[in-house]
């Protein structure tokens, strides 16, 4: 295991990750504020360990306006019996708890996107301090990390796992096998956008298997997303042989397994060319074609101004689509995915 960063972290952890049994408590992150110079922010954490075996790390609430992951993880965290476990499961359902309680993507404390703060800084802003703790004090224990996300308020997503295109063939194969076991309708391999400071990049730098999810969005709880997420994390524990049983990867459409997809080309992304009210054409998961309208930007504040048609630039299946109403110029309004094909080079 990599050297831990515990001495440098300002966060106090009550959990002994080497101890057998179930431990539940709160990480204590210092936050000086008007009501308390020595105040703390409490972050729930549950560790269930029994004997030797692999470690799975489950995180939710990195973005505060994404609900399915925190719900799925906290259900597991309340119910997972150590007697059923061979190995270790570390569960942090609401990591960025200030953003979770504020129902926002960005932290209300420092206005940062925590998933752009990695590998973090123990002396940095609140989000950077949290990122450093996760990377330096928890992640080194893990063999596999599942960080559960949705598309937040800005988009809806087809229920899916996702992973970077990892250059090392063996790591890529193990990651795709884990995604297959999770058993979401889709697994999306992508060549990231602005990725260096994300949690996924940190996990990969440490040589640990990294899976993300997109289980919904639009600022609501997707019933299907919770179902896929709950079954998926159970499936992952089975895949890692931490609990007994075979993963159930059957799909509502009768398919036996997840459909591996990819988002590689910049033409997969459609952006709003102006600020306006966006009227989408499709819902996530639908098949779309290049040249078809992704939607229309309306200028309802103007009389007689025609809407702008925004088009798809790629054939495929809609992974994410906008729908918060108001969009800013440059916001993503659609992401199209295609069936996965192993590229000739990374
Ligand atoms: Ca997210």
């Amino acid at each position: 295991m990599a050297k831990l960063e515990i001495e440098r972290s300002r966060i106090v952890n009550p959990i002994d990750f080497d101890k057998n049994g179930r431990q539940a408590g709160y990480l204590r992150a210092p936050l000086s504020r008007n009501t308390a110079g020595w105040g703390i922010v409490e972050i729930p954490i549950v560790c269930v360990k029994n004997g030797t075996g692999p470690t799975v790390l489950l995180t939710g609430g990195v973005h505060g306006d994404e609900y399915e992951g925190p719900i799925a993880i906290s259900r597991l965290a309340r119910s997972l019996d150590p007697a059923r476990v061979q190995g270790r499961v570390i569960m942090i359902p609401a990591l960025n708890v200030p953003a979770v309680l504020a129902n926002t993507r960005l932290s209300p404390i420092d206005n940062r996107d925590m998933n752009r703060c990695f590998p973090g800084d123990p002396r940095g802003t609140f989000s950077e301090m949290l990122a450093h703790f996760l990377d330096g004090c928890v992640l080194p224990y893990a063999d596999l990390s599942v960080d559960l996300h949705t598309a937040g308020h800005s988009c809806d997503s087809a229920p899916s796992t996702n992973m970077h295109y990892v250059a090392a063939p063996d790591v890529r194969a193990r990651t795709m096998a884990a995604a297959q076991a999770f058993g979401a309708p889709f697994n999306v391999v992508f060549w990231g956008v602005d990725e260096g400071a994300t949690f996924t990049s940190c996990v990969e730098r440490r040589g640990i298997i990294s899976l993300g999810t997109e289980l919904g969005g639009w600022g609501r709880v997707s019933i299907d997303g919770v179902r896929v997420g709950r079954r998926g994390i159970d499936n992952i524990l089975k895949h890692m042989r931490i609990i007994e049983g075979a993963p159930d990867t059957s799909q509502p459409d009768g398919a036996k397994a997840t459909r591996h997809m990819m988002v590689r080309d910049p033409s997969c992304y459609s952006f709003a060319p102006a600020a306006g009210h966006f009227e989408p054409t499709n819902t996530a998961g639908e098949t779309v074609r290049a040249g078809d309208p992704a939607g229309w930007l309306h200028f309802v504040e103007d009389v007689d101004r025609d809407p702008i048609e925004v088009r798809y630039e790629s054939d495929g299946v809609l992974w994410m689509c906008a729908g918060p109403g108001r969009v800013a110029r440059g916001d993503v309004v659609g992401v199209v995915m295609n069936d996965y094909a192993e590229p000739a080079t990374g």
Side-chain angles (χ1 to χ4, degrees):
M1 189 173 80
K3 188 178 174 298
L4 296 168
E5 290 267 320
I6 291 165
E7 296 83 31
R8 294 183 67 223
S9 182
R10 295 154 63 208
I11 295 176
V12 175
N13 177 12
I15 306 291
D16 177 354
F17 290 128
D18 295 321
K19 199 168 137 188
N20 281 323
R22 180 181 190 272
Q23 298 172 81
Y26 297 93
L27 305 168
R28 284 164 38 182
L31 181 67
S32 175
R33 51 197 178 232
N34 284 330
T35 53
W38 294 337
I40 55 165
V41 170
E42 293 185 305
I43 301 165
I45 180 168
V46 177
C47 177
V48 176
K49 178 179 179 289
N50 186 24
T52 54
T55 297
V56 166
L57 170 64
L58 302 172
T59 44
V62 166
H63 294 137
D65 61 343
E66 305 178 4
Y67 318 112
E68 292 79 349
I71 290 169
I73 298 170
S74 61
R75 273 192 177 274
L76 179 70
R78 283 196 309 280
S79 60
L80 187 60
D81 177 0
R84 281 182 69 208
V85 166
Q86 185 67 48
R88 180 168 45 198
V89 187
I90 301 172
M91 292 161 277
I92 311 178
L95 179 62
N96 190 356
V97 79
V100 169
L101 298 183
N103 192 18
T104 54
R105 176 180 180 88
L106 305 187
S107 169
I109 295 173
D110 57 15
N111 211 32
R112 296 286 301 277
D113 178 340
M114 192 186 161
N115 208 24
R116 301 292 182 275
C117 287
F118 287 92
D121 177 354
R123 301 271 151 202
T125 69
F126 192 85
S127 299
E128 290 171 340
M129 173 179 69
L130 271 188
H132 170 267
F133 176 82
L134 186 65
D135 176 55
C137 303
V138 182
L139 191 53
Y141 288 95
D143 298 290
L144 187 150
S145 149
V146 188
D147 186 29
L148 291 108
H149 282 250
T150 77
H153 272 97
S154 66
C155 283
D156 193 21
S157 60
S160 47
T161 47
N162 62 73
M163 56 182 277
H164 285 164
Y165 180 83
V166 189
D170 59 324
V171 180
R172 188 164 74 247
R174 283 163 57 212
T175 309
M176 289 187 84
Q180 180 110 358
F182 189 100
F186 300 100
N187 174 51
V188 184
V189 180
F190 72 110
W191 283 252
V193 181
D194 187 23
E195 287 294 311
T198 64
F199 181 50
T200 294
S201 299
C202 252
V203 180
E204 287 164 1
R205 278 196 287 273
R206 290 186 178 277
I208 296 163
I209 300 295
S210 175
L211 274 188
T213 73
E214 299 291 349
L215 297 173
W218 281 352
R220 55 74 161 108
V221 175
S222 159
I223 295 166
D224 198 34
V226 173
R227 182 189 64 78
V228 170
R230 287 187 63 195
R231 189 182 76 164
I233 56 180
D234 246 41
N235 279 345
I236 283 289
L237 299 188
K238 290 171 179 168
H239 174 68
M240 296 296 279
R241 308 204 170 170
I242 291 175
I243 62 173
E244 282 187 7
D248 172 11
T249 62
S250 60
Q251 302 298 329
D253 67 358
K256 293 273 187 293
T258 198
R259 182 173 166 191
H260 291 289
M261 310 295 287
M262 64 178 181
V263 174
R264 185 171 195 190
D265 196 276
S267 70
C268 294
Y269 297 83
S270 298
F271 296 95
H277 280 44
F278 186 70
E279 176 198 358
T281 312
N282 299 101
T283 54
E286 289 184 345
T287 300
V288 300
R289 296 180 55 157
D292 283 353
W296 294 268
L297 269 176
H298 292 274
F299 306 95
V300 295
E301 66 276 33
D302 292 336
V303 171
D304 286 341
R305 184 171 171 191
D306 289 333
I308 296 175
E309 187 173 284
V310 183
R311 296 193 179 143
Y312 299 116
E313 292 179 36
S314 173
D315 293 345
V317 177
L318 194 58
W319 184 26
M320 295 198 194
C321 65
R326 195 78 192 156
V327 297
R329 178 175 177 157
D331 282 358
V332 170
V333 294
V335 185
V336 171
M337 54 187 174
N338 302 108
D339 281 298
Y340 180 74
E342 194 77 24
T345 57

